[in-house]
């Protein structure tokens, strides 16, 4: 029986390089507005490896952790895998995804810092749901801006957030200048607009702070419970893996599952496992983007961070995996990619949902469309290997893959799969070049 980790583990001391510092946005007359509890700042910057998880957060984790890990032999057989595939499943909590792991920690730290309301932007809805639940548990008000296309497709995510006590707005909304500046029928309405609205909304209210679900180094730290637990569970099964796979929106579930095995290998002087990031082919920042300073949100109020990006102004094609439609990858993961520590592959939604379809029929769990990207990439790796940056990546021992959430509120997407109506819109190279042309490169 595996145990709930009592500490989060930071990869920062094991990187062998430091992250490029953030810079102020060029248009910021007011300077950079950072409104973070000190503990989250420390968790993002310190070289300390282990961080005690506060008891009130542990108490909440105990309701749904440890999460299951199993050897998915039926799925592996169905896809023709040459090696075992181990699945770590994060969909079994009220939010339906891994996002709850950091939502609980953030609500705890903001509450301790005297904040009374948290506001956020959400794509697929899992982060909004996670924050709504965490706010309910820790006694905070919660306001959520959700990407309009996604909310229309998944109205029940909105119902769940409201049941948990959150106030919900469709984004782009008329409530903020950021929302008003974007036409509601623009097809590329995206998570960075919803985030921009939340940032603007928080800036105008006392006691209100903007919380972000992924991308920040502290949220990746909180997600380390996933990888730490998985290592313990693999040990109990006497299982060996030489590759770890997760999907990437901004990167927190991938960081969560992949960085503890990376850190363990560095600490023990072993070669690190292959870390394979599966992104959406609609938002190919890691495989086709540039490494540059970009905004984390459309409002551009936060600092500019060094990231692989397709450009925060890029009109991302529509897809069912709203959680992956984020223009950039976390600065931590981007720096690791820059230094050759992370491989990446882009997956189309038709392949992703087909892999998820195979998974529910073989393993009895319906993955979120986002998680389908990780399963498709894991299957690719376990069958033929994956080519990235002119290198062939293979696995000889086994693959660990994170199924970051469930797809029970994504049945509309699966209906389209069954009807053969799923298509992939691949962004034009020229548009990516245009959206990234004026971004400064980290030195
Ligand atoms: C189920 C699920 N998986 C993955 C993601 C991508 O986020 P991240 O890359 O931060 O883990 C999301 C984001 O909403 C999600 O809901």
């Amino acid at each position: 029986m595996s145990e709930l980790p009592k500490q989060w583990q930071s990869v920062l001391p094991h990187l062998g390089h430091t992250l490029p510092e953030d810079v102020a946005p060029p248009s910021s007359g007011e300077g950079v507005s950072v409104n973070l509890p000190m503990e989250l700042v420390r968790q993002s910057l310190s070289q300390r490896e282990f961080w005690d998880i506060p008891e009130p957060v542990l108490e909440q984790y105990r309701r749904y952790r440890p999460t299951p890990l199993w050897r998915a032999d039926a799925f592996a057989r169905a896809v023709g895998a040459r090696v075992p595939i181990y699945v770590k499943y994060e969909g079994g909590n009220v939010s339906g995804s891994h996002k709850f792991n950091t939502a609980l920690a953030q609500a705890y730290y903001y509450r301790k810092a005297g904040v009374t309301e948290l506001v956020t932007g959400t794509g697929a809805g899992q982060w909004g749901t996670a924050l709504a639940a965490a706010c309910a548990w820790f006694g905070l008000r919660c306001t959520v801006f959700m990407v309009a296309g996604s909310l229309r497709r998944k109205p029940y995510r909105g119902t769940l957030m409201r049941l948990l006590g959150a106030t919900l707005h469709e984004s782009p909304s008329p409530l903020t200048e950021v929302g008003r500046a974007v036409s509601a029928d623009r097809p590329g309405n995206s998570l960075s607009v919803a985030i921009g609205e939340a940032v603007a909304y928080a800036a105008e209210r006392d006691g209100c702070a903007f919380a972000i679900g992924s991308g920040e180094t502290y949220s990746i730290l909180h997600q380390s419970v996933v990888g730490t637990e998985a290592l313990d569970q693999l040990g109990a099964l006497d299982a060996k893996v030489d590759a770890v796979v997760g999907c990437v929106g901004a990167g927190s579930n991938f960081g969560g599952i992949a960085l503890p095995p990376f850190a363990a290998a560095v600490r023990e002087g072993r070669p690190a496992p292959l870390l394979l990031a599966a992104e959406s082919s609609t938002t190919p920042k890691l495989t086709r983007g540039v490494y540059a300073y970009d905004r984390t949100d459309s409002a551009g109020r936060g600092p500019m961070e060094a990231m692989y990006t397709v450009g925060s102004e890029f009109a991302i094609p529509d897809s069912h995996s709203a959680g992956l439609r984020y223009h950039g990858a976390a600065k931590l993961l981007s720096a690791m990619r820059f230094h050759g520590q992370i491989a990446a592959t882009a997956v189309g939604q038709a392949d992703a949902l087909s892999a998820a379809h195979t998974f529910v029929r073989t393993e009895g769990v319906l993955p979120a469309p986002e998680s389908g990207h990780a399963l498709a990439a894991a299957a690719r790796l376990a069958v033929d290997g994956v080519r990235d940056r002119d290198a062939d990546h293979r696995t000889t021992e086994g693959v660990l893959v994170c199924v970051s959430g469930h797809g029970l509120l994504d049945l509309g997407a699966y209906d389209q799969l069954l009807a053969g109506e799923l298509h992939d819109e691949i962004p034009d190279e020229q548009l990516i070049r245009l959206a990234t042309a004026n971004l400064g490169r980290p030195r």
Side-chain angles (χ1 to χ4, degrees):
M1 175 70 184
S2 72
E3 301 232 335
L4 172 64
K6 305 284 186 306
Q7 293 181 311
W8 293 304
Q9 185 188 16
S10 171
V11 77
L12 294 178
H14 297 297
L15 286 181
H17 50 88
T18 50
L19 306 187
E21 275 181 28
D22 300 347
V23 299
S27 57
S28 151
E30 313 145 24
V32 177
S33 61
V34 178
N35 187 11
L36 270 184
M38 266 322 288
E39 196 62 3
L40 296 181
V41 175
R42 271 195 287 274
Q43 290 175 356
S44 300
L45 299 176
S46 168
Q47 290 290 310
R48 193 210 289 179
E49 181 169 13
F50 292 104
W51 298 78
D52 288 344
I53 303 174
E55 183 51 39
V57 177
L58 272 180
E59 201 180 310
Q60 301 300 334
Y61 280 179
R62 279 192 203 100
R63 294 175 173 212
Y64 66 97
R65 307 205 69 87
T67 61
L69 177 142
W70 72 97
R71 184 171 153 151
D73 283 341
F75 176 70
R77 262 196 311 277
V79 299
R82 293 173 293 101
V83 294
I85 297 177
Y86 296 89
V87 169
K88 178 75 169 157
Y89 180 54
E90 289 294 313
N93 65 72
V94 64
S95 78
S97 85
H98 66 292
K99 296 282 168 82
F100 205 32
N101 298 325
T102 185
L104 287 166
Q106 291 190 39
Y108 168 78
Y109 287 121
Y110 277 106
R111 167 79 196 259
K112 217 171 142 213
V115 164
T116 53
E117 177 179 4
L118 286 177
V119 54
T120 197
T122 190
Q126 281 97 331
W127 166 241
T129 313
L131 195 68
C135 283
W137 282 203
F138 283 107
L140 295 162
R141 280 200 308 282
C142 183
T143 297
V144 179
F145 289 85
M146 180 160 170
V147 175
S150 186
L151 181 56
R152 282 180 211 150
R153 253 190 228 122
K154 295 187 262 188
Y156 294 132
R157 283 237 166 261
T159 310
L160 189 50
M161 282 181 244
R162 287 197 301 270
L163 278 173
L164 289 162
T167 304
L168 184 65
H169 303 291
E170 207 174 75
S171 170
S173 83
L175 287 181
T176 69
E177 215 168 286
V178 179
R180 288 190 292 273
V182 179
S183 149
D185 56 8
R186 180 176 129 177
N189 69 67
S190 76
L191 184 53
S192 69
V193 175
I195 291 173
E197 290 213 81
V199 172
Y201 178 97
E204 285 162 15
R205 283 165 181 79
D206 287 338
C208 180
F210 164 69
I212 190 157
S214 177
E216 297 307 314
T217 307
Y218 56 79
S219 63
I220 297 175
L221 174 77
H222 303 153
Q223 296 296 351
S224 68
V225 285
V226 179
T228 305
E229 234 175 63
L231 283 178
D232 190 34
Q233 291 166 315
L234 288 172
L237 293 175
D238 208 15
K240 299 247 176 314
V241 299
D242 57 0
V244 187
V245 183
C247 63
V248 172
S252 71
N253 86 91
F254 176 65
I257 189 103
L259 299 187
F262 174 89
V266 176
R267 200 176 333 96
E268 291 159 21
R270 292 184 278 114
L274 170 69
L275 310 184
L276 179 63
E279 63 183 5
S280 160
S281 56
T282 61
T283 325
K285 53 242 177 187
L286 292 169
T287 54
R288 295 174 58 201
V290 298
Y291 189 46
Y293 277 106
D294 200 359
R295 303 171 191 285
T296 54
D297 66 88
S298 273
R301 297 215 193 191
M304 310 268 286
E305 297 184 0
M307 62 175 85
Y308 277 94
T309 177
V310 288
S312 58
E313 298 295 317
F314 179 70
I316 299 167
D318 211 1
S319 111
H320 285 290
S321 299
L324 304 188
R325 289 178 71 243
Y326 184 63
H327 65 276
K331 65 179 167 192
L332 169 55
L333 300 178
S334 292
M336 291 183 73
R337 169 98 172 133
F338 184 71
H339 287 274
Q341 293 165 323
I342 286 176
T345 190
V347 178
Q349 63 174 351
D351 281 356
L353 272 80
S354 295
H357 183 198
T358 305
F359 195 77
V360 70
R361 292 177 62 156
T362 51
E363 300 292 333
V365 168
L366 182 65
E370 290 84 356
S371 316
H373 291 70
L375 286 168
R380 228 180 248 178
L381 186 63
V383 177
D384 294 324
V386 165
R387 194 163 174 79
D388 173 47
R389 288 181 164 171
D390 299 328
D392 288 317
H393 297 287
R394 300 194 181 284
T395 149
T396 54
E397 292 187 314
V399 179
L400 169 64
V401 57
C402 182
V403 171
S404 49
H406 73 67
L408 294 172
L409 293 174
D410 299 274
L411 295 178
Y414 287 103
D415 260 345
Q416 277 196 313
L417 175 78
L418 293 174
E421 290 167 1
L422 274 188
H423 305 290
D424 289 307
E425 204 181 316
I426 307 295
D428 195 75
E429 193 65 25
Q430 193 62 18
L431 295 179
I432 297 179
R433 293 300 142 232
L434 266 177
T436 53
N438 296 324
L439 302 178
R441 303 300 160 103
R443 277 186 293 259

